[in-house]
Amino acid sequence: VSALLRALPVDDQGDTTRYAPTYYPGTGSVTEAQAVSLDVGAEASISFSLMPVVTARITGSVLGSTGLPLSNARVILTAADSPGARPAAFGAGGRVLADGTFSIANVAPGSYRLIALSGAGRNAGPDAERGFAPLTVAGEDLTGVMVITSRGATVTGTVRSGWGTTAEPPTGALRVTAQPVPFDSTMRIRPARVNTDGTFALADLFGPNMLRVNGLTSEWMVEAILVGGSNITDTPFDFRPNQAIENAEIVLTDRVTDVSGTVTERDGAPSADFTLVVFPEDDTKWTPLSRFVRSARPDQQGLVKIVGLPPNDRYMAVAVDYLEEGGASDPAFLEGIKRHATRFRLEAGASATIDLTLVER
């Protein structure tokens, strides 16, 4: 839980005393924040004070990859300890002027990551540039900050069918996209259309990203994603500025796995109101973008099915009476529920049938 007094830039006019964004129980750092636990249907009451701080102004300039001032760009100040690149409060950023200079006022003490970007968002293209600079603010103005931008990495490759697959994948309906790890709200990467010959091209990639395929039908699943000879299907790839990667491969298979089953109440009566959660025993795979963690609701007959899980020798399955949105990807939830789980094995192209007893939370 966090609170802030103002979210918009204000003119300091000599008064540099502000209240910093504050996390419960009264800290400016998200890593020092304390979680507030809530059971289903429960209420909690908390109180904490905002932190008064002396703010500073950051001024500097942005140079593009050509060495010239990067005009028509913008700068964003994000908290260094925020996994989601959350913009800092007050003067969270602004436009870069024609001469390449910028100014950000009312910055609270703390560690930040200054991001300069051009051609981002919906206007992203092959000429988009981005640069980063770590900053530490301690109540005094910072001047002469220099950020040099560069173009991101590009990836070209092919979508193909894997060994033992005789059908041709539905390439025309597919999109290849990159998802930053951790999530970065400043990244807006355009999905790449897969051409009818299976080729695709992604651009404007910076830092660790997971490559994913959208548009697959239930008859197909990803078997492997290969970049530079390495299998990065379930591993973020760290893209470097100006890097050009060719001959990437996305391997699809029609040997699709499926998990199905039924759930009964404690008294043995069939249940039609539950959420099935399937996850691996290996907790290193309990990540937000993991292909190994899935959830599903039953149909009107109380049957539930999950298609396209990667093969794994140590899956666990549990049916719960209530699951909040996004709860299946919460490691704390998975850790707490695994003692009720039923274990099973899932081989490539195989089916698994499981019968579960409803777990009431």
Side-chain angles (χ1 to χ4, degrees):
V1 179
S2 65
L4 55 89
L5 182 62
R6 283 184 288 244
L8 298 176
V10 294
D11 187 357
D12 55 32
Q13 295 186 0
D15 180 10
T16 59
T17 302
R18 298 286 185 267
Y19 288 96
T22 307
Y23 293 91
Y24 174 78
T27 175
S29 171
V30 65
T31 58
E32 298 176 0
Q34 293 183 12
V36 179
S37 299
L38 280 175
D39 292 328
V40 176
E43 296 182 4
S45 177
I46 63 173
S47 62
F48 58 102
S49 299
L50 293 176
M51 299 173 55
V53 295
V54 175
T55 61
R57 179 183 293 272
I58 301 173
T59 57
S61 57
V62 180
L63 297 181
S65 57
T66 62
L68 299 176
L70 192 69
S71 59
N72 194 27
R74 59 192 178 108
V75 288
I76 301 174
L77 195 64
T78 66
D81 56 6
S82 174
R86 175 184 55 82
F90 311 134
R95 303 299 303 181
V96 177
L97 302 180
D99 61 356
T101 61
F102 68 88
S103 178
I104 305 175
N106 306 305
V107 181
S111 297
Y112 297 95
R113 188 183 190 218
L114 181 65
I115 304 173
L117 59 162
S118 71
R122 295 180 179 178
N123 298 321
D127 295 328
E129 296 196 4
R130 180 180 291 256
F132 310 91
L135 298 176
T136 300
V137 177
E140 297 181 355
D141 292 347
L142 294 181
T143 60
V145 175
M146 177 73 70
V147 183
I148 300 177
T149 64
S150 62
R151 296 183 182 182
T154 60
V155 177
T156 57
T158 306
V159 176
R160 64 172 178 84
S161 56
W163 181 85
T165 301
T166 58
E168 291 296 326
T171 53
L174 302 182
R175 301 289 187 275
V176 178
T177 187
Q179 300 185 28
V181 179
F183 171 76
D184 186 341
S185 60
T186 69
M187 294 285 190
R188 294 291 186 271
I189 300 172
R190 284 182 175 179
R193 178 190 295 272
V194 179
N195 301 315
T196 54
D197 63 355
T199 59
F200 68 90
L202 273 173
D204 195 28
L205 302 176
F206 293 87
N209 280 263
M210 299 279 283
L211 296 188
R212 287 291 179 254
V213 181
N214 298 331
L216 286 172
T217 63
S218 58
E219 290 80 20
W220 291 88
M221 62 181 287
V222 173
E223 184 176 277
I225 299 177
L226 308 173
V227 171
S230 300
N231 190 327
I232 64 162
T233 313
D234 301 293
T235 305
F237 187 87
D238 193 4
F239 293 98
R240 300 189 301 274
N242 302 310
Q243 185 179 21
I245 297 176
E246 300 177 349
N247 302 322
E249 292 184 291
I250 297 179
V251 184
L252 304 181
T253 179
D254 59 1
R255 301 177 64 204
V256 178
T257 64
D258 70 82
V259 178
S260 59
T262 58
V263 176
T264 56
E265 307 277 355
R266 288 185 177 180
D267 59 6
S271 175
D273 186 14
F274 62 87
T275 300
L276 172 67
V277 182
V278 176
F279 56 103
E281 188 175 298
D282 181 4
D283 59 6
T284 63
K285 293 182 170 66
W286 298 356
T287 59
L289 299 178
S290 176
R291 299 184 305 138
F292 293 82
V293 181
R294 298 276 295 279
S295 63
R297 295 277 298 166
D299 60 19
Q300 294 180 347
Q301 287 72 43
L303 300 177
V304 65
K305 190 172 187 177
I306 295 178
V307 177
L309 280 166
N312 191 275
D313 290 337
R314 295 180 177 272
Y315 270 119
M316 297 187 288
V318 63
V320 294
D321 59 346
Y322 170 79
L323 184 66
E324 62 274 11
E325 182 178 356
S329 60
D330 180 5
F333 163 75
L334 299 178
E335 181 64 35
I337 206 72
K338 70 178 184 181
R339 68 182 185 275
H340 301 290
T342 297
R343 287 165 170 78
F344 67 97
R345 181 182 181 183
L346 189 61
E347 297 181 348
S351 299
T353 302
I354 50 178
D355 296 314
L356 303 172
T357 300
L358 185 67
V359 175
E360 297 180 356
R361 296 185 65 192

